[in-house]
Amino acid sequence: MLEQNFQQHFEYHAVEIDYKIIHLANKFVLDELSSPIQVFETDALHYVKLCQEKYDMIIMDVFDNDKVPIQFETKAFL
């Protein structure tokens, strides 16, 4: 959406624990992006704890069905 609708090109880092979702993203979406993207197959909580990168913007979808797991609602995580 950022590229196609708003002509915004960034370097993307995607964190996804589910290999099936990564496979679908690679198959149907990621090839259409002109911006570079790195995909990390890991738990988002684990990634945040270890990540040393500084980001200009973070967009998260941490829903598990229709709920946000409690560990993503703590002050420490946010």
Side-chain angles (χ1 to χ4, degrees):
M1 180 191 299
L2 291 172
E3 275 193 11
Q4 292 178 356
N5 294 355
F6 301 108
Q7 290 72 49
Q8 297 296 309
H9 298 273
F10 302 103
E11 178 182 338
Y12 296 97
H13 289 180
V15 179
E16 175 58 56
I17 196 168
D18 189 341
Y19 173 77
K20 293 175 192 171
I21 301 298
I22 294 171
H23 173 74
L24 291 171
N26 279 320
K27 186 174 180 179
F28 295 110
V29 178
L30 300 184
D31 286 343
E32 296 178 11
L33 295 176
S34 61
S35 298
I37 183 165
Q38 289 184 319
V39 178
F40 300 91
E41 184 181 348
T42 189
D43 180 84
L45 189 62
H46 177 76
Y47 182 83
V48 168
K49 285 181 181 178
L50 297 179
C51 182
Q52 298 295 312
E53 297 270 349
K54 300 290 183 193
Y55 294 99
D56 294 323
M57 178 172 42
I58 299 174
I59 302 170
M60 297 175 27
D61 173 3
V62 292
F63 284 94
D64 185 3
N65 293 320
D66 64 342
K67 305 231 184 292
V68 174
I70 192 69
Q71 65 266 29
F72 296 110
E73 294 184 355
T74 64
K75 283 185 180 181
F77 178 79
L78 296 173

